[in-house]
């Protein structure tokens, strides 16, 4: 870059001083204007001659005369104020009697008071303006020095850590394992950390070295931060919490300086826990972006690595970190001696979800007939944060309906709101569109009922939610970790159930099936390229997915197959989809009467629950 064109950054301290100076000047001008306004508004006495004063004394118009050296202040009987000057070498009585011939009797009848100036009045009169300027200048100098000192303090503390500090013994803010539901395996792993912080000698005497770093891995909302706080609460030790993004600033070296200060503070308060949330903000692969070794983020990461190497066996500081992107972390962070203990937090299973619901319902008025087990069954894939949000939405819905207790209906409606979005009752369908939506959803539900490997149908609705004009909710009865080919094939057929129903009933197609076709096409391609379930192509994974870190995060697929194989893949995907469509079409044709029943009921009531749907199918 050309040095002539390079912009020099402005000095923040100089800018603050200029701002304060301008503020004081404007304040001074404002005060002077106010004083001038009061001075103008005050009635000034009229200046008269001594001869007129003598005439007024003769005519008994004077109420009082006050003499201050050579200044004569006059108050008339009607309240009017006047002023005149006299010779300071003679008294007012003598001047009136000898120079203007006023009778001594008139002078005696007039109230004349002579006042001399005090030392303070004389001092203020002579030096008041100078004193005012000195005071204003001193105040201005004090403000400038104070601001400069404050700026210096800020500059000196710029490299200090901004971590939140939770003191031990604060029972009101203390979090323990009782406040964390589920994650049983993670708690068992972390009990070693708690034991070490409480009884370090037991491990040191055996020559054991507790892990210096504990990395919590898992999807968002699984309770990584909450679990780290629970460890400090169980061990009753200081807890330092900072986010990875808080290290990096626009100034070079600030991140490394904050890392040094943070580790120094943690060691002073040992035993303690130092928790870095979202460590992937500073812990990404080094040397993969622009800036090289001078990149501020890389310098911060280097300092973290150096500080963790500085721990000895007697340092009772545990560094905990959390991330949902372990694939982008630098390998140096994960080697033994640093974050060598990695704890995985999965999405909760049905039992864990039930425990979390029990924990989140504490302090909330819940109806007795609410079955938390059933709520857990209807929320597969929900994280702990999503379950908390679910009950919070249910509480808000209950308050909106002016009810005092959260009921089953509010919770079930909140599940659909979290999964699909809020109801859009204002988005009314036309009569023909409503019939198309009813038969479309009835096609999904019919396939879900008759195909053996699909999940049970819980609800069918043609009320718009989110971007969908209607939906069919099918949920598994229990959590599964493996999925079979037959299960995928049945799910493909169910996805195409709405498409097939529209084609059979109306002999036409609409755009309502676009999302179903997208999901079905993606699932069929994964069966061929990812899961090796194609009979023709066999157990081969096609396409290598890799993570490239360059100018941000870019995920791309590298083709490791020929054009001929690509054509075979397309043919197999087409085969899966055509077979699924044939299954859907045959099933609907065989059960046309049941399809009409479901669609007619949907047109009438718009929503069918699980029990009513099963009764319709039985009858």
């Amino acid at each position: 870059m050309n040095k002539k064109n390079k912009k020099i950054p402005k000095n923040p301290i100089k800018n603050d001083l200029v701002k304060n100076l301008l503020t004081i000047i404007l304040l001074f001008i404002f005060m002077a204007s106010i004083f001038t306004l009061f001075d103008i508004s005050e009635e000034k006495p009229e200046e008269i001659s001594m001869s007129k004063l003598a005439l007024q004394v003769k005519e008994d118009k004077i109420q009082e005369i006050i003499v201050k050296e050579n200044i004569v202040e006059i108050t008339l009987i009607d309240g009017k104020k006047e002023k005149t000057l006299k010779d300071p070498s003679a008294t007012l009585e003598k001047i009136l009697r000898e120079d203007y011939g006023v009778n001594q009797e008139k002078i005696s009848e007039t109230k004349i008071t002579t006042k001399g100036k005090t030392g303070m009045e004389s001092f203020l009169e002579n030096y008041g303006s100078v004193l005012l300027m000195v005071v204003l200048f001193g105040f201005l100098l004090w403000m400038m020095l104070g601001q400069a000192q404050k700026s210096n303090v800020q500059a000196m503390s710029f490299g200090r850590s901004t971590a939140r500090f939770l003191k031990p013994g604060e029972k009101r803010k203390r979090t323990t394992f009782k406040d964390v539901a589920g994650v049983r395996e993670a708690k068992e792993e972390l009990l070693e950390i708690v034991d070490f912080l409480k009884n370090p000698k037991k491990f040191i005497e055996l020559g054991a070295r507790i892990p210096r770093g504990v990395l919590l891995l898992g999807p968002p909302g699984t309770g990584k931060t909450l679990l780290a706080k629970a460890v400090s609460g169980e061990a009753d030790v200081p807890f330092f919490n900072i986010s990875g993004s808080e290290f990096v600033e626009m100034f070079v070296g600030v991140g490394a300086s904050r890392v040094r200060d943070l580790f120094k503070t943690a060691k002073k308060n040992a035993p303690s826990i130092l928790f870095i949330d979202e460590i992937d903000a500073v812990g990404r692969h080094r040397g993969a972006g622009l800036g090289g070794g001078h990149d501020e983020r890389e310098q911060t990461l280097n300092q973290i690595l150096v500080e963790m190497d500085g721990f000895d066996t007697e340092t009772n500081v545990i560094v905990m970190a959390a991330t949902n992107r372990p694939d982008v972390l630098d390998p140096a962070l994960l080697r033994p001696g640093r974050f060598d203990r990695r704890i995985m937090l999965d999405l909760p299973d049905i039992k864990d979800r039930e425990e979390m619901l029990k924990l989140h319902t504490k302090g909330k008025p819940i109806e007795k007939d609410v079955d938390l087990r059933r709520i857990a069954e209807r929320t597969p894939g929900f994280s702990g944060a999503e379950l908390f949000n679910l009950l919070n939405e249910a509480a808000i819905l209950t308050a909106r309906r002016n009810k005092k207790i959260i009921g089953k209906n509010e919770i079930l409606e909140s599940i659909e709101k979290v999964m699909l979005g809020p109801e859009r009752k204002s988005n009314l369908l036309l009569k023909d569109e409503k019939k198309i939506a009813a038969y479309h959803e009835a096609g999904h539900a019919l396939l879900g009922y008759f195909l053996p490997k699909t999940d049970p149908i819980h609800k069918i609705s043609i009320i718009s939610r989110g971007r969908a004009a209607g939906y069919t909710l099918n949920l598994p009865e229990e959590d599964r970790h493996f999925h079979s080919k037959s299960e995928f094939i049945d799910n493909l057929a169910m996805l195409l159930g709405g498409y097939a129903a529209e084609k059979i009933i109306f002999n036409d197609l609409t755009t309502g099936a676009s999302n179903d076709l997208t999901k079905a096409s993606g699932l069929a391609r994964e069966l061929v390229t990812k899961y090796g379930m194609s009979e023709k192509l066999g157990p081969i994974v096609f396409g290598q997915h890799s993570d490239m870190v360059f100018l941000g995060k870019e995920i791309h697929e590298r083709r490791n197959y020929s054009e001929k194989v690509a054509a075979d893949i397309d043919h197999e995907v087409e085969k899966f989809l055509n077979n699924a469509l044939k299954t859907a079409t045959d099933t609907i044709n065989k059960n046309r009467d049941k399809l009409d029943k479901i669609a007619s009921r949907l047109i009438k009531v718009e929503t069918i629950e699980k029990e009513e749907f099963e009764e319709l199918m039985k009858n």
Side-chain angles (χ1 to χ4, degrees), residues 199-409:
N199 307 300
K201 291 183 179 180
K202 181 174 68 174
F203 294 87
I204 295 174
E205 289 174 355
L206 295 174
R209 182 180 62 81
I210 203 71
R212 296 174 180 173
V214 179
L215 187 61
L216 302 176
L217 310 172
T222 50
K224 298 183 290 294
T225 303
L226 184 65
L227 198 57
K229 290 182 180 179
V231 173
S232 70
E234 289 287 337
D236 199 20
V237 296
F239 182 74
F240 296 89
N241 181 16
I242 190 170
S243 173
S245 60
E246 294 181 48
F247 288 114
V248 182
E249 291 281 355
M250 63 180 292
F251 302 107
V252 177
V254 172
S257 176
R258 289 182 175 177
V259 170
R260 288 192 293 270
D261 182 71
L262 177 60
F263 276 83
K264 182 180 178 181
T265 307
K267 289 177 183 178
K268 284 183 179 178
N269 292 272
S272 61
I273 291 178
L274 196 160
F275 178 65
I276 305 174
D277 200 5
E278 303 295 345
I279 194 174
D280 52 276
V282 292
R284 288 174 176 258
H285 288 282
R286 289 172 291 178
L290 297 179
H294 297 287
D295 182 22
E296 171 66 6
R297 179 186 57 80
E298 292 191 5
Q299 291 190 24
T300 306
L301 174 58
N302 291 338
Q303 191 62 43
I304 292 175
L305 299 177
V306 171
E307 291 292 339
M308 293 189 71
D309 280 341
F311 286 179
D312 52 33
T313 55
E314 296 183 358
T315 302
N316 297 346
V317 177
I318 303 297
V319 182
M320 300 185 70
T323 180
N324 56 0
R325 296 298 312 279
D327 53 311
V328 302
L329 294 181
D330 193 278
L333 272 175
L334 306 178
R335 74 156 176 82
R338 290 178 181 143
F339 288 103
D340 46 8
R341 179 67 63 88
R342 290 181 284 278
I343 299 176
M344 188 69 192
L345 278 72
D346 295 316
L347 291 172
D349 57 19
I350 187 169
K351 185 178 180 182
D352 289 341
R353 291 198 297 273
E354 187 177 1
E355 292 180 6
M356 290 178 181
L357 288 169
K358 289 179 181 178
L359 182 66
H360 294 323
T361 51
K362 287 184 178 179
K364 291 183 174 68
I366 304 291
E367 287 184 356
K368 295 181 179 179
D369 62 340
V370 173
D371 186 2
L372 296 181
R373 177 72 181 187
R374 185 182 177 188
I375 304 300
E377 291 175 355
R378 297 193 69 164
T379 52
F382 273 47
S383 65
E386 288 173 324
L387 292 173
F388 175 82
N389 183 46
L390 161 66
L391 292 174
N392 185 60
E393 290 288 346
I396 293 173
L397 183 60
T398 303
R400 193 185 305 162
R401 293 176 176 176
N402 296 321
K403 296 173 65 176
K404 300 297 182 181
I405 301 177
I406 302 173
K408 178 178 65 176
N409 293 333

Side-chain angles (χ1 to χ4, degrees), residues 26 48 272 486 511 520:
L26 292 174
I48 61 174
S272 61
S486 58
T511 58

Side-chain angles (χ1 to χ4, degrees), residues 455-513:
D455 296 324
I457 303 297
H458 281 257
K459 187 174 183 178
I460 317 164
S461 176
I462 56 172
I463 298 175
S464 297
R465 276 190 180 272
R467 300 178 63 181
Y471 59 94
T472 300
L473 191 64
N474 63 319
L475 300 171
E477 294 180 340
E478 56 186 10
D479 295 316
R480 291 192 297 269
H481 302 286
F482 298 100
H483 300 277
S484 63
K485 180 180 177 180
S486 58
E487 181 183 341
F488 283 132
I489 290 175
D490 283 357
N491 283 329
L492 271 178
M494 182 180 174
L495 283 170
L496 296 177
Y499 178 90
E502 289 185 24
K503 193 172 182 180
I504 292 171
I505 301 300
F506 304 103
N507 197 25
D508 197 3
L509 295 172
T510 67
T511 58

Side-chain angles (χ1 to χ4, degrees), residues 167-215:
K167 296 180 181 179
E170 296 184 4
K171 294 183 179 180
R172 185 173 60 87
K173 298 181 180 180
R174 185 177 176 183
T175 303
T176 62
F177 285 155
K178 293 181 180 179
D179 302 313
V180 184
V183 293
R184 295 179 295 275
E185 293 82 3
K187 290 179 183 178
E188 292 175 1
E189 288 284 332
L190 292 172
L191 281 174
E192 294 182 7
I193 307 298
V194 175
D195 196 13
F196 172 76
L197 291 171
K198 287 184 174 180
N199 307 300
K201 291 183 179 180
K202 181 174 68 174
F203 294 87
I204 295 174
E205 289 174 355
L206 295 174
R209 182 180 62 81
I210 203 71
R212 296 174 180 173
V214 179
L215 187 61

